[in-house]
mmCIF file of all heavy atoms in Angstrom:
data_model
loop_
_atom_site.group_PDB
_atom_site.id
_atom_site.type_symbol
_atom_site.label_atom_id
_atom_site.label_comp_id
_atom_site.label_asym_id
_atom_site.label_seq_id
_atom_site.Cartn_x
_atom_site.Cartn_y
_atom_site.Cartn_z
ATOM 1 N N PRO A 581 131.481 103.951 57.932
ATOM 2 C CA PRO A 581 131.578 102.932 56.877
ATOM 3 C C PRO A 581 131.988 103.554 55.550
ATOM 4 O O PRO A 581 132.101 104.779 55.426
ATOM 5 C CB PRO A 581 130.145 102.414 56.804
ATOM 6 C CG PRO A 581 129.314 103.623 57.127
ATOM 7 C CD PRO A 581 130.109 104.375 58.177
ATOM 8 N N ILE A 582 132.178 102.693 54.558
ATOM 9 C CA ILE A 582 132.365 103.161 53.198
ATOM 10 C C ILE A 582 131.059 103.832 52.768
ATOM 11 O O ILE A 582 129.980 103.274 52.962
ATOM 12 C CB ILE A 582 132.743 101.989 52.272
ATOM 13 C CG1 ILE A 582 134.129 101.478 52.660
ATOM 14 C CG2 ILE A 582 132.692 102.404 50.804
ATOM 15 C CD1 ILE A 582 134.556 100.211 51.944
ATOM 16 N N SER A 583 131.165 105.016 52.218
ATOM 17 C CA SER A 583 129.985 105.869 52.047
ATOM 18 C C SER A 583 128.902 105.244 51.162
ATOM 19 O O SER A 583 127.713 105.479 51.364
ATOM 20 C CB SER A 583 130.403 107.230 51.481
ATOM 21 O OG SER A 583 131.111 107.059 50.273
ATOM 22 N N GLU A 584 129.293 104.416 50.185
ATOM 23 C CA GLU A 584 128.292 103.837 49.286
ATOM 24 C C GLU A 584 127.602 102.614 49.880
ATOM 25 O O GLU A 584 126.652 102.087 49.305
ATOM 26 C CB GLU A 584 128.933 103.414 47.955
ATOM 27 C CG GLU A 584 129.624 104.540 47.197
ATOM 28 C CD GLU A 584 131.034 104.794 47.678
ATOM 29 O OE1 GLU A 584 131.649 103.856 48.230
ATOM 30 O OE2 GLU A 584 131.511 105.928 47.542
ATOM 31 N N HIS A 585 128.082 102.113 51.004
ATOM 32 C CA HIS A 585 127.559 100.862 51.568
ATOM 33 C C HIS A 585 126.319 101.114 52.418
ATOM 34 O O HIS A 585 126.314 101.937 53.330
ATOM 35 C CB HIS A 585 128.631 100.184 52.431
ATOM 36 C CG HIS A 585 129.750 99.595 51.624
ATOM 37 N ND1 HIS A 585 130.811 98.940 52.195
ATOM 38 C CD2 HIS A 585 129.954 99.546 50.287
ATOM 39 C CE1 HIS A 585 131.619 98.510 51.257
ATOM 40 N NE2 HIS A 585 131.133 98.881 50.083
ATOM 41 N N ASN A 586 125.257 100.336 52.126
ATOM 42 C CA ASN A 586 124.020 100.461 52.888
ATOM 43 C C ASN A 586 124.083 99.738 54.225
ATOM 44 O O ASN A 586 123.433 100.121 55.179
ATOM 45 C CB ASN A 586 122.851 99.852 52.093
ATOM 46 C CG ASN A 586 122.699 100.470 50.731
ATOM 47 O OD1 ASN A 586 123.213 99.952 49.736
ATOM 48 N ND2 ASN A 586 122.004 101.585 50.662
ATOM 49 N N ARG A 587 124.857 98.655 54.248
ATOM 50 C CA ARG A 587 124.853 97.791 55.427
ATOM 51 C C ARG A 587 126.058 98.101 56.317
ATOM 52 O O ARG A 587 127.175 98.322 55.822
ATOM 53 C CB ARG A 587 124.925 96.320 54.995
ATOM 54 C CG ARG A 587 123.680 95.824 54.248
ATOM 55 C CD ARG A 587 122.637 95.359 55.226
ATOM 56 N NE ARG A 587 121.436 94.835 54.602
ATOM 57 C CZ ARG A 587 121.194 93.546 54.367
ATOM 58 N NH1 ARG A 587 122.104 92.654 54.682
ATOM 59 N NH2 ARG A 587 120.046 93.170 53.832
ATOM 60 N N LEU A 588 125.823 98.081 57.623
ATOM 61 C CA LEU A 588 126.888 98.282 58.609
ATOM 62 C C LEU A 588 126.720 97.238 59.696
ATOM 63 O O LEU A 588 125.612 97.031 60.206
ATOM 64 C CB LEU A 588 126.820 99.694 59.190
ATOM 65 C CG LEU A 588 127.942 100.111 60.150
ATOM 66 C CD1 LEU A 588 128.192 101.612 60.054
ATOM 67 C CD2 LEU A 588 127.672 99.717 61.586
ATOM 68 N N TYR A 589 127.813 96.589 60.043
ATOM 69 C CA TYR A 589 127.780 95.473 60.989
ATOM 70 C C TYR A 589 128.733 95.747 62.143
ATOM 71 O O TYR A 589 129.799 96.324 61.957
ATOM 72 C CB TYR A 589 128.219 94.176 60.303
ATOM 73 C CG TYR A 589 127.438 93.828 59.063
ATOM 74 C CD1 TYR A 589 127.781 94.385 57.830
ATOM 75 C CD2 TYR A 589 126.377 92.933 59.101
ATOM 76 C CE1 TYR A 589 127.072 94.074 56.682
ATOM 77 C CE2 TYR A 589 125.670 92.608 57.951
ATOM 78 C CZ TYR A 589 126.017 93.183 56.756
ATOM 79 O OH TYR A 589 125.318 92.860 55.620
ATOM 80 N N TRP A 590 128.375 95.244 63.312
ATOM 81 C CA TRP A 590 129.268 95.217 64.460
ATOM 82 C C TRP A 590 129.518 93.767 64.863
ATOM 83 O O TRP A 590 128.574 92.980 64.982
ATOM 84 C CB TRP A 590 128.670 95.968 65.645
ATOM 85 C CG TRP A 590 128.694 97.462 65.522
ATOM 86 C CD1 TRP A 590 127.673 98.279 65.134
ATOM 87 C CD2 TRP A 590 129.806 98.331 65.808
ATOM 88 N NE1 TRP A 590 128.073 99.591 65.157
ATOM 89 C CE2 TRP A 590 129.377 99.654 65.575
ATOM 90 C CE3 TRP A 590 131.115 98.118 66.247
ATOM 91 C CZ2 TRP A 590 130.209 100.758 65.758
ATOM 92 C CZ3 TRP A 590 131.935 99.204 66.427
ATOM 93 C CH2 TRP A 590 131.485 100.510 66.184
ATOM 94 N N TYR A 591 130.802 93.460 65.064
ATOM 95 C CA TYR A 591 131.222 92.147 65.533
ATOM 96 C C TYR A 591 132.155 92.334 66.719
ATOM 97 O O TYR A 591 132.776 93.382 66.899
ATOM 98 C CB TYR A 591 131.964 91.377 64.435
ATOM 99 C CG TYR A 591 131.081 90.757 63.383
ATOM 100 C CD1 TYR A 591 130.540 91.521 62.356
ATOM 101 C CD2 TYR A 591 130.797 89.390 63.403
ATOM 102 C CE1 TYR A 591 129.727 90.954 61.391
ATOM 103 C CE2 TYR A 591 130.000 88.808 62.433
ATOM 104 C CZ TYR A 591 129.465 89.598 61.438
ATOM 105 O OH TYR A 591 128.670 89.031 60.483
ATOM 106 N N ARG A 592 132.294 91.275 67.491
ATOM 107 C CA ARG A 592 133.231 91.252 68.602
ATOM 108 C C ARG A 592 134.125 90.031 68.414
ATOM 109 O O ARG A 592 133.650 88.948 68.040
ATOM 110 C CB ARG A 592 132.485 91.151 69.930
ATOM 111 C CG ARG A 592 133.356 91.023 71.162
ATOM 112 C CD ARG A 592 132.527 91.106 72.423
ATOM 113 N NE ARG A 592 131.552 90.032 72.539
ATOM 114 C CZ ARG A 592 130.589 89.998 73.452
ATOM 115 N NH1 ARG A 592 130.459 91.003 74.315
ATOM 116 N NH2 ARG A 592 129.757 88.988 73.509
ATOM 117 N N GLN A 593 135.416 90.212 68.667
ATOM 118 C CA GLN A 593 136.346 89.098 68.499
ATOM 119 C C GLN A 593 137.264 89.010 69.704
ATOM 120 O O GLN A 593 137.886 89.995 70.105
ATOM 121 C CB GLN A 593 137.188 89.268 67.225
ATOM 122 C CG GLN A 593 138.045 88.055 66.898
ATOM 123 C CD GLN A 593 138.777 88.195 65.583
ATOM 124 O OE1 GLN A 593 139.072 89.296 65.130
ATOM 125 N NE2 GLN A 593 139.100 87.068 64.956
ATOM 126 N N THR A 594 137.356 87.816 70.267
ATOM 127 C CA THR A 594 138.299 87.564 71.355
ATOM 128 C C THR A 594 139.409 86.669 70.838
ATOM 129 O O THR A 594 139.288 86.033 69.778
ATOM 130 C CB THR A 594 137.600 86.916 72.550
ATOM 131 O OG1 THR A 594 136.901 85.740 72.109
ATOM 132 C CG2 THR A 594 136.604 87.870 73.189
ATOM 133 N N LEU A 595 140.489 86.600 71.583
ATOM 134 C CA LEU A 595 141.686 85.900 71.144
ATOM 135 C C LEU A 595 141.399 84.441 70.814
ATOM 136 O O LEU A 595 140.781 83.721 71.592
ATOM 137 C CB LEU A 595 142.749 85.982 72.240
ATOM 138 C CG LEU A 595 144.178 85.622 71.821
ATOM 139 C CD1 LEU A 595 144.681 86.603 70.759
ATOM 140 C CD2 LEU A 595 145.098 85.620 73.028
ATOM 141 N N GLY A 596 141.800 84.028 69.632
ATOM 142 C CA GLY A 596 141.645 82.640 69.228
ATOM 143 C C GLY A 596 140.269 82.285 68.694
ATOM 144 O O GLY A 596 140.013 81.118 68.371
ATOM 145 N N GLN A 597 139.400 83.277 68.607
ATOM 146 C CA GLN A 597 138.039 83.036 68.109
ATOM 147 C C GLN A 597 137.774 83.853 66.855
ATOM 148 O O GLN A 597 138.450 84.856 66.595
ATOM 149 C CB GLN A 597 137.011 83.408 69.182
ATOM 150 C CG GLN A 597 137.138 82.606 70.459
ATOM 151 C CD GLN A 597 136.947 81.120 70.219
ATOM 152 O OE1 GLN A 597 136.002 80.699 69.543
ATOM 153 N NE2 GLN A 597 137.839 80.311 70.769
ATOM 154 N N GLY A 598 136.785 83.430 66.091
ATOM 155 C CA GLY A 598 136.374 84.226 64.952
ATOM 156 C C GLY A 598 135.476 85.363 65.396
ATOM 157 O O GLY A 598 135.007 85.397 66.538
#
Side-chain angles (χ1 to χ4, degrees):
Chain A
I582 293 173
S583 56
E584 302 83 25
H585 288 180
N586 304 95
R587 293 274 182 96
L588 185 150
Y589 305 84
W590 285 99
Y591 282 78
R592 176 173 62 190
Q593 188 175 27
T594 54
L595 195 63
Q597 299 299 313

